Amino acid sequence: MPDFPPDAGRGLPAPVVTVKLPAAFHALTGGRRQLSVEGDTIREVLTGLDRAVPGVLERLVDQNGAMKRYVNVYLNDNDIRSLDDLDTKVEEDDLIWIIPAVAGGSATVRS
């Protein structure tokens, strides 16, 4: 699993954002549905989240450090893939949503 390096030499404190977690992660978080995490970018926030809740990062990013395709991450109301992906800058009090993609269903049409 890739380890994102911390931002060395940062002069100002990093913004604190709220990360909303899906129910699938509640077992890892002890039932917490959201956490406050510091970071200047989505990448740094996810790294901080993994320090607080070990094992989360491996569920979100692949071995090359890219977001897994079945995981959607939103900064406020914007999909980070339409922004700067993991390098998207965050600001104080931003809201980050982690939402697993939903697939499946029935091929049968109900009447």
Side-chain angles (χ1 to χ4, degrees):
M1 191 58 23
D3 187 25
F4 298 128
D7 185 11
R10 179 184 349 194
L12 299 172
V16 176
V17 300
T18 299
V19 181
K20 298 274 194 171
L21 300 160
F25 287 14
H26 294 176
L28 288 174
T29 65
R32 293 177 289 175
R33 297 177 180 190
Q34 66 182 39
L35 283 94
S36 296
V37 183
E38 287 185 1
D40 287 313
T41 64
I42 297 291
R43 183 183 313 273
E44 290 179 15
V45 169
L46 295 180
T47 300
L49 180 63
D50 194 62
R51 281 193 293 272
V53 183
V56 167
L57 195 59
E58 68 188 36
R59 289 166 172 79
L60 301 176
V61 299
D62 63 23
Q63 293 178 342
N64 296 318
M67 290 300 305
K68 290 184 177 180
R69 63 186 180 105
Y70 58 83
V71 176
N72 299 304
V73 177
Y74 291 86
L75 173 61
N76 301 314
D77 292 328
N78 300 300
D79 187 335
I80 65 165
R81 288 181 176 101
S82 68
L83 302 170
D84 290 324
D85 207 44
L86 291 169
D87 295 321
T88 300
K89 299 280 187 196
V90 299
E91 296 181 7
E92 189 76 21
D93 298 323
D94 274 346
L95 183 59
I96 297 172
W97 293 84
I98 298 173
I99 302 173
V102 178
S106 173
T108 305
V109 177
R110 295 182 186 176
S111 48

